[in-house]
Amino acid sequence: MSEYKVVLITGVSSGIGRAAALAFKARGCQVYGTVRDINSASPLNGVALTEIDIRDEHSVQQAIERVIVKAGRIDVLVNSAGVSLIGAVEETSVEEATRLFDTNFFGALRTTRAVLPHMRNQKSGRIVNVSSVLGFLPAPFMGIYAASKHALEGMSETLDHELRGIGVRATLVEPSFTRTKLDMNSAETAEKIAFYENARGQTLGTILKQVSTASLPESVAGVIVNAALGPWKMRHTPGGEATLLARLRRFAPASMVSKGLRKAFGMKD
């Protein structure tokens, strides 16, 4: 794909989405970024902001139509908006799980469905879904978040099978912990069960420690740009820990991976 493309990125208020918007702009793309409240959003140099609530079908359709009217096409969709949640599966209410899935999975599904008719007419396009290493390697006390990313990965692979024949491709970017507000200020489940208190606290401490020394969003943004504009492949990991975990998951015995994961989070076998 040539570098001059019309790119739509969800969730550019901060973090990976914001860094990616600037990275695409630096590559000469025409970039549109979505925010939930345009009146309170910080300006993003050279990036056109458009208001969208990815949890609302009508809002999504309106936002996509606005971009099409202004730009005439959408070549790349980056589903970057997401939320996190820390807590044991038993501590997670169905309502909390539903809210998380409504953003992380159904939000991506809504934007994808809204963009695809235009990409099919163009007979070209790239959909980049920002997943996580938890999309292939679940971690303790992040089960519902991991489940949403597993769902996103399954949808992405299926989508690519369905559309590659007409020049539309789907791909995944799977970062590890990143120094963003999402990772540093993850929400916790409302219910707290005493049985999980020590292990949950240990896990949260491990996460905060890893985030404090993790890569900056710009490192993930570069991978997103390459996933969108470069030669297609299904999965992209931003090097370092993410790439190591992907290789371990693929090649190492499951028992060794499980043991290493539990040790990393301070959990007993």
Side-chain angles (χ1 to χ4, degrees):
M1 299 175 75
S2 62
E3 292 189 4
Y4 181 76
K5 298 290 179 183
V6 176
V7 181
L8 174 63
I9 309 175
T10 66
V12 303
S13 295
S14 62
I16 291 172
R18 192 173 185 86
L22 293 172
F24 276 111
K25 187 63 183 176
R27 290 283 287 268
C29 297
Q30 186 176 351
V31 185
Y32 293 83
T34 78
V35 294
R36 287 187 60 184
D37 184 356
I38 201 162
N39 294 318
S40 63
S42 301
L44 199 51
N45 188 35
V47 176
L49 299 182
T50 186
E51 191 170 273
I52 188 174
D53 182 352
I54 61 172
R55 301 167 302 175
D56 181 81
E57 188 86 22
H58 182 64
S59 175
V60 169
Q61 292 290 343
Q62 282 191 319
I64 299 303
E65 290 304 322
R66 285 196 299 269
V67 174
I68 292 294
V69 167
K70 291 179 181 178
R73 60 190 293 118
I74 295 174
D75 298 298
V76 175
L77 168 65
V78 179
N79 284 310
S80 175
V83 294
S84 187
L85 183 67
I86 292 177
V89 170
E90 186 183 356
E91 293 175 320
T92 309
S93 70
V94 172
E95 290 76 17
E96 287 172 323
T98 299
R99 285 196 298 271
L100 185 142
F101 263 79
D102 207 16
T103 296
N104 290 6
F105 179 71
F106 292 114
L109 177 60
R110 291 184 188 101
T111 55
T112 298
R113 291 185 69 246
V115 163
L116 279 179
H118 305 286
M119 289 186 172
R120 285 192 289 103
N121 287 337
Q122 296 164 191
K123 293 183 170 55
S124 66
R126 187 76 59 90
I127 295 172
V128 181
N129 288 326
V130 179
S131 179
S132 164
V133 294
L134 298 186
F136 61 82
L137 185 64
F141 299 97
M142 297 191 74
I144 305 304
Y145 176 81
S148 72
K149 294 302 186 180
H150 273 64
L152 185 65
E153 298 218 350
M155 181 183 75
S156 301
E157 289 199 60
T158 297
L159 189 66
D160 188 72
H161 283 301
E162 293 168 348
L163 293 169
R164 68 173 65 177
I166 59 166
V168 179
R169 304 303 302 261
T171 185
L172 289 157
V173 174
E174 302 166 319
S176 183
F177 292 115
T178 311
R179 264 185 278 174
T180 65
K181 292 180 181 178
L182 177 68
D183 282 344
M184 294 180 71
N185 302 308
S186 295
E188 297 184 45
T189 56
E191 183 177 6
K192 299 289 191 294
I193 298 174
F195 172 79
Y196 298 107
E197 184 174 354
N198 290 337
R200 187 193 331 103
Q202 179 69 36
T203 295
L204 182 57
T206 300
I207 291 171
L208 292 175
K209 182 178 180 180
Q210 290 190 10
V211 170
S212 68
T213 58
S215 299
L216 293 171
E218 286 74 14
S219 64
V220 182
V223 176
I224 291 172
V225 171
N226 289 335
L229 304 180
W232 178 88
K233 67 176 183 176
M234 190 69 244
R235 284 176 165 78
H236 303 257
T237 51
E241 183 181 52
T243 297
L244 175 61
L245 289 172
R247 289 173 179 168
L248 286 172
R249 183 62 160 175
R250 183 175 180 184
F251 298 113
S255 59
M256 187 177 84
V257 174
S258 177
K259 186 175 181 179
L261 187 67
R262 292 181 66 80
K263 182 178 179 181
F265 284 98
M267 301 183 75
K268 297 178 180 179
D269 282 328

